[in-house]
Amino acid sequence: MKKYCILIVAGFMAALSGCQSGNQMNALDLEVVEQIDTLYGSHEENSNLWAGFNIDVPVNGPQVLVDSVMELVNREMYKMCEHCIHGHYIQPPVAYSRKEMFTHDGKRLLNHYMEKYKPLIEDSLWGAFGLELILEAQTEKYVTYGLERFYCGAGSSSDKYYYTFDKSDGHQLRSLISFENLAKFFEDYPEYNSIEWVDPFLGTQKGQLFYPENGAGNYEYGLLEDHFSLAIQGYCNHYLLLSFPYEEIFSYLSPEAQALVESHEEE
């Protein structure tokens, strides 16, 4: 199990160091620019504490889609900035209101937030935080953003989320697969519902990945270009990514998701 935590942490830190969005763009594509910034604690005792932001911000494309993605980016930037100050999400914002911080200017979004939040974050850091929000997939019919939040320290953790948008009107797909259909998929394809790890005392161990009793809130779904991605939260306080080919999971997807995947498969 530990090796999955190590891979996830290493992958996130590599992403903070820089990754370029190299998709070829046409008139229907969502064009993005990458913005990276890392803030460090300003106090001597906080010199090793940081908050890192790595985001793909839309700067061109269908306006309804750009508006939807900018709503997502603003929301997550605001949440992370507030989290860096307050330490958890349950407190109401006391720095700036979300309405005050919202911006449509993708090319300077990070500067817009840092102009106000940077001094507050540097003075408030008590841990290490990371936000990665990147465009992970794009077809003629949909785009999928991936979001990872990372918290470092004695109780380090990370979580992963997906956001898939229909290009035709910019709306976010709320249901890619029902929890009941996901359970049925694992029943029909038990080979996907297993994991092996080496225990230093007991040797090679096997276990299940999917537990229906965990509830729907532990599973996040994304339509990628050539596969369906599932993020299972809670492995070593992190997450585990699984991928399934569309030819196997297609019939379990929601009708709306099927329509988008099918149109992409026909391209």
Side-chain angles (χ1 to χ4, degrees):
M1 300 284 280
K2 291 181 178 178
K3 63 181 180 181
Y4 291 101
C5 296
I6 295 172
L7 288 173
I8 291 167
V9 173
F12 182 79
M13 296 308 295
L16 279 180
S17 66
C19 61
Q20 297 300 321
S21 300
N23 293 338
Q24 295 296 315
M25 299 296 172
N26 62 42
L28 293 178
D29 280 321
L30 184 69
E31 185 178 357
V32 299
V33 295
E34 185 186 46
Q35 301 185 26
I36 299 176
D37 199 356
T38 302
L39 312 178
Y40 292 90
S42 60
H43 302 298
E44 182 178 350
E45 63 271 22
N46 287 350
S47 59
N48 294 320
L49 304 181
W50 52 266
F53 303 89
N54 178 19
I55 55 177
D56 284 345
V57 180
V59 294
N60 194 22
Q63 193 58 50
V64 290
L65 180 59
V66 171
D67 289 344
S68 293
V69 174
M70 284 299 292
E71 173 66 29
L72 168 67
V73 173
N74 275 279
R75 182 181 73 236
E76 294 303 327
M77 274 297 301
Y78 178 76
K79 285 170 61 178
M80 180 55 78
C81 286
E82 288 291 310
H83 182 81
C84 291
I85 296 171
H86 305 305
H88 50 78
Y89 293 135
I90 62 172
Q91 290 188 4
V94 297
Y96 302 99
S97 70
R98 187 178 163 208
K99 181 179 179 181
E100 181 180 5
M101 292 306 303
F102 191 94
T103 178
H104 289 284
D105 190 348
K107 290 186 177 180
R108 64 176 304 273
L109 180 137
L110 198 53
N111 287 339
H112 172 77
Y113 276 85
M114 291 303 99
E115 284 173 3
K116 291 187 176 181
Y117 271 104
K118 184 174 181 178
L120 298 174
I121 292 175
E122 288 180 335
D123 289 339
S124 304
L125 280 174
W126 56 270
F129 308 96
L131 172 68
E132 183 181 56
L133 184 59
I134 62 173
L135 182 64
E136 294 203 11
Q138 177 161 213
T139 74
E140 289 294 318
K141 299 297 183 180
Y142 62 87
V143 297
T144 296
Y145 260 73
L147 180 148
E148 180 178 1
R149 286 191 294 262
F150 177 81
Y151 312 102
C152 191
S156 64
S157 64
S158 61
D159 43 32
K160 174 82 174 186
Y161 300 90
Y162 287 110
Y163 301 90
T164 297
F165 299 91
D166 187 328
K167 280 187 173 181
S168 64
D169 60 6
H171 81 276
Q172 180 189 334
L173 276 69
R174 299 296 180 180
S175 177
L176 298 181
I177 186 172
S178 69
F179 191 60
E180 293 73 21
N181 277 6
L182 181 64
K184 183 67 166 58
F185 172 79
F186 279 114
E187 288 180 7
D188 296 341
Y189 292 89
E191 63 269 25
Y192 285 115
N193 193 22
S194 63
I195 186 174
E196 288 189 1
W197 72 94
V198 178
D199 185 283
F201 301 104
L202 302 177
T204 301
Q205 300 292 300
K206 294 184 178 181
Q208 279 186 270
L209 295 173
F210 175 76
Y211 293 92
E213 60 270 21
N214 286 348
N218 290 284
Y219 304 91
E220 287 288 329
Y221 322 112
L223 296 184
L224 300 189
E225 292 180 5
D226 58 358
H227 67 275
F228 181 82
S229 187
L230 170 68
I232 304 178
Q233 316 294 350
Y235 273 83
C236 300
N237 293 325
H238 297 278
Y239 63 86
L240 187 63
L241 283 180
L242 301 180
S243 62
F244 314 114
Y246 283 127
E247 57 264 28
E248 293 182 353
I249 202 170
F250 180 84
S251 63
Y252 303 86
L253 300 179
S254 69
E256 186 178 20
Q258 286 182 352
L260 292 181
V261 170
E262 193 169 42
S263 66
H264 175 50
E265 293 295 308
E266 292 173 353
E267 293 175 11

